[in-house]
């Protein structure tokens, strides 16, 4: 999603969308890092090719944030329920709130066409 977010950021027709996508990129980066390091704290080191890119064909910020929200909720539902995973669940819950905030922020922006 980080690459898709940057592509949409660079293609944005309006500055407010451009800026919000750049802000959201940082949120994606922080979430990815926290979850990956949390899992490594539980399961050990990851292999260099453990994380695969997500294929996304969305072409605007509305569809992008909807996709991130949907896939994040799917990921959250897949987290094991054991107490050791509660930190990862918590990070995911916080990110869901951030995604909801950005869903609102994108809807406050001018024209979302590219």
């Amino acid at each position: 999603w980080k690459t898709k977010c940057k592509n949409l950021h660079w293609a944005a027709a309006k500055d407010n969308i451009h800026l919000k996508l750049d802000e959201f990129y940082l949120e994606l980066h922080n979430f990815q890092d926290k979850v990956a390091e949390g899992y490594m704290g539980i399961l050990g080191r990851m292999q260099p090719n453990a994380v695969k890119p997500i294929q996304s064909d969305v072409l605007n910020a509305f569809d992008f944030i909807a996709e991130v929200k949907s896939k994040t909720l799917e990921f959250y539902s897949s987290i094991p329920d054991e107490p050791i995973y509660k930190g990862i669940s918590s990070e995911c819950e916080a990110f869901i709130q951030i995604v909801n905030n950005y869903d609102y922020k994108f809807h406050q922006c001018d024209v979302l066409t590219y």
Side-chain angles (χ1 to χ4, degrees):
W1 285 325
K2 291 190 307 186
T3 301
K4 174 53 81 170
C5 189
K6 276 299 191 181
N7 283 333
L8 291 172
H9 160 83
W10 293 317
K14 297 285 187 169
D15 190 54
N16 55 359
I17 299 164
H18 178 85
L19 294 173
K20 290 295 173 215
L21 285 164
D22 219 20
E23 290 173 17
F24 189 63
Y25 173 87
L26 296 174
E27 298 291 353
L28 285 166
H29 173 79
N30 290 335
F31 175 65
Q32 179 186 39
D33 205 47
K34 288 176 183 179
V35 169
E37 290 175 357
Y39 267 112
M40 287 186 289
I42 297 166
L43 304 172
R45 291 184 174 266
M46 278 189 199
Q47 294 300 312
N49 59 352
V51 177
K52 306 290 185 212
I54 292 174
Q55 180 61 35
S56 174
D57 295 324
V58 300
L59 299 175
N60 62 64
F62 279 145
D63 293 341
F64 177 64
I65 201 74
E67 180 179 80
V68 171
K69 185 185 295 191
S70 172
K71 295 296 183 181
T72 301
L73 291 170
E74 283 179 33
F75 172 72
Y76 178 70
S77 296
S78 73
I79 299 170
D81 201 31
E82 289 97 45
I84 193 79
Y85 292 98
K86 293 303 179 195
I88 292 170
S89 294
S90 177
E91 291 295 343
C92 198
E93 290 166 356
F95 185 67
I96 291 165
Q97 178 63 17
I98 289 167
V99 171
N100 288 336
N101 289 344
Y102 274 89
D103 190 14
Y104 167 75
K105 289 176 181 181
F106 285 138
H107 283 82
Q108 297 303 306
C109 290
D110 291 335
V111 183
L112 286 172
T113 57
Y114 297 92

